[in-house]
Amino acid sequence: MSNFKLEEIPVKDMQALGLHDGRKFLVDKKTLGTLLTGRISDFVHMDNVKIEKGTNVSLDAKLSMRRKPDGTAGLFVHPIYRDLKDHPDLNTEENHAFSRGGVHSKKIADYGKILSFGETPYNFEKDNKQSFYIELEKKNGEKKHIWGVGLKDALEKSGFKKGNDVQLAMTGKQQVNTLDKDGKWITTDRLEWDIKPFDEARKQEKTVIYEFDQETKSFVSLPEDYVQKMEEINGMPLSEDQKKKFKEGKEVEMQDGTTVQVSPASKDHIRTDKRMLIFSVLMDGGLSFMLYKGLRAIEKRNEKKQQRENQYSKGYADALVKVQAELEKKQAMSPNDKTIASDINIVKQ
């Protein structure tokens, strides 16, 4: 499933990276396909990166594409940093906490009744720095904590109190002067928020998923809109709660013990405790079956999980037959595609 069209790839940006010669792209089909789906590519070597007039450098970096606020496609370069590179859309506490590893989600828009608010160590973990939070509750009883230093000022300006129904939305960032740990004044970015009365017709709920990429020493982000809508995994249907958890970047455990999670820093956006997965995705009114192999393993798997690695559900065999049928249809359309032939061979084995 593609999020972009080929003509949307910013040609001028690709030319500046030495990846377009004015007539055609100078990257392989696999990298182009990865960009069009919104995934992060493997490392791409670039010999003619233009950094200023008359100066070109060589660079190894990963590439990805995202929608910019105006709806156009933006090309993002993920080079290898010597030191940890903070993400501009995360506050100090989040950059510090997320860089320890794992996949994390951040709400940038949400709504509900204000249950509580205050300052406490970020995410209620004592080793984190102090941060401000607002706790919201939806009509279905679901509760969420929204974090951000700028929330305190936004709440004071809005005049809302506990029990009020509100809509929160992150609006950007602003430079502010603050004291660092040594008592010196420094200039830093603070994320800004807007708090309005809740309006059912205009309610918004948005999540962005973040993962620290150890290879580049920087963060990779993935809006939940880019996460595919899974219906089945290895022939096992997902419940509505599992679908919601998966979209928000949380680990989902299936009834046979298979564990799956979104991974922004992985080329397939998937981490699991299995070596291969078959996803059933709802597309154009029907189910489409997709094969994922060579996936990044979920960290810190226990011994029991490792023993289950090659055990599959009863529905897996049926899913294999369906994914083989789809691959054979693709092969008929592209008989010279070696990747499709390889996938069919893996499925048959």
Side-chain angles (χ1 to χ4, degrees):
M1 184 175 69
S2 297
N3 291 304
F4 302 94
K5 297 178 180 178
L6 185 64
E7 55 268 25
E8 288 188 283
I9 298 179
V11 172
K12 289 185 179 179
D13 291 344
M14 294 291 278
Q15 287 177 317
L17 296 173
L19 300 178
H20 196 286
D21 63 4
R23 295 175 301 159
K24 63 182 184 300
F25 292 105
L26 303 179
V27 293
D28 56 36
K29 291 182 178 179
K30 179 182 177 182
T31 300
L32 280 179
T34 300
L35 289 176
L36 295 178
T37 58
R39 304 196 305 269
I40 187 168
S41 74
D42 290 328
F43 277 108
V44 176
H45 182 71
M46 295 166 275
D47 285 318
N48 296 299
V49 181
K50 299 177 182 178
I51 57 173
E52 57 185 47
K53 290 184 178 180
T55 303
N56 289 6
V57 299
S58 294
L59 178 69
D60 288 313
K62 298 180 181 182
L63 304 174
S64 65
M65 281 177 39
R66 293 286 182 272
R67 293 283 176 197
K68 296 190 288 187
D70 62 2
T72 60
L75 181 68
F76 292 84
V77 181
H78 308 269
I80 303 172
Y81 292 94
R82 180 176 299 175
D83 301 310
L84 186 153
K85 177 69 173 177
D86 286 350
H87 194 287
D89 293 338
L90 296 176
N91 60 38
T92 303
E93 295 78 17
E94 290 163 339
N95 272 296
H96 177 70
F98 293 3
S99 66
R100 296 174 189 165
V103 176
H104 306 267
S105 61
K106 175 184 175 70
K107 283 285 184 182
I108 61 171
D110 211 343
Y111 60 90
K113 179 173 67 176
I114 299 177
L115 288 185
S116 65
F117 55 83
E119 288 187 81
T120 191
Y122 174 73
N123 209 27
F124 302 108
E125 296 178 9
K126 62 180 182 179
D127 293 334
N128 289 337
K129 295 181 179 180
Q130 292 286 113
S131 185
F132 192 84
Y133 75 90
I134 295 179
E135 182 184 13
L136 299 177
E137 181 182 34
K138 291 185 172 59
K139 292 181 179 179
N140 63 4
E142 180 185 2
K143 298 176 182 178
K144 290 286 177 65
H145 290 88
I146 315 300
W147 297 87
V149 177
L151 279 172
K152 184 176 182 180
D153 285 347
L155 185 61
E156 290 176 353
K157 290 177 182 178
S158 72
F160 290 116
K161 306 293 182 183
K162 292 180 183 179
N164 291 144
D165 291 314
V166 298
Q167 169 76 60
L168 308 181
M170 197 172 74
T171 58
K173 57 188 177 182
Q174 179 180 348
Q175 285 194 333
V176 296
N177 294 319
T178 185
L179 290 171
D180 66 9
K181 62 181 180 180
D182 297 321
K184 297 180 180 179
W185 285 99
I186 59 172
T187 300
T188 185
D189 289 329
R190 185 177 69 184
L191 301 177
E192 297 292 296
W193 292 80
D194 184 38
I195 304 180
K196 295 180 178 179
F198 174 70
D199 182 350
E200 179 70 31
R202 298 182 179 180
K203 66 181 180 182
Q204 281 189 316
E205 186 177 6
K206 293 183 179 180
T207 301
V208 179
I209 305 166
Y210 298 87
E211 185 177 13
F212 186 69
D213 185 1
Q214 294 290 347
E215 292 183 321
T216 61
K217 289 187 170 63
S218 63
F219 289 97
V220 181
S221 62
L222 183 70
E224 66 172 315
D225 294 344
Y226 283 69
V227 179
Q228 296 201 30
K229 297 179 180 179
M230 304 299 176
E231 295 294 320
E232 297 177 354
I233 294 177
N234 287 350
M236 296 173 286
L238 278 74
S239 67
E240 291 303 315
D241 181 60
Q242 287 174 320
K243 292 177 186 178
K244 181 176 176 61
K245 287 176 67 176
F246 184 79
K247 288 282 287 183
E248 293 180 346
K250 299 175 183 176
E251 280 192 15
V252 173
E253 184 169 344
M254 305 302 293
Q255 53 264 43
D256 72 341
T258 298
T259 305
V260 183
Q261 185 178 26
V262 172
S263 174
S266 302
K267 62 180 181 180
D268 290 306
H269 287 170
I270 298 294
R271 289 152 46 112
T272 181
D273 59 350
K274 288 289 198 299
R275 294 179 181 175
M276 189 167 71
L277 293 176
I278 297 173
F279 283 169
S280 305
V281 184
L282 191 61
M283 295 176 63
D284 300 324
L287 284 180
S288 179
F289 295 86
M290 306 171 68
L291 178 69
Y292 286 81
K293 58 188 187 299
L295 300 170
R296 176 182 289 193
I298 285 179
E299 299 170 358
K300 298 180 181 178
R301 294 181 301 165
N302 59 39
E303 186 176 343
K304 189 176 181 180
K305 285 277 187 182
Q306 290 176 331
Q307 291 173 352
R308 289 198 305 235
E309 186 177 75
N310 293 316
Q311 297 176 7
Y312 292 90
S313 66
K314 293 180 180 179
Y316 186 68
D318 183 49
L320 275 175
V321 172
K322 292 176 180 177
V323 78
Q324 180 179 336
E326 291 214 5
L327 286 169
E328 289 173 345
K329 287 181 182 178
K330 292 179 180 179
Q331 188 179 49
M333 297 174 64
S334 305
N336 297 321
D337 193 317
K338 294 181 180 179
T339 301
I340 296 176
S342 174
D343 286 348
I344 290 175
N345 186 50
I346 290 172
V347 170
K348 287 181 177 179
Q349 289 178 355

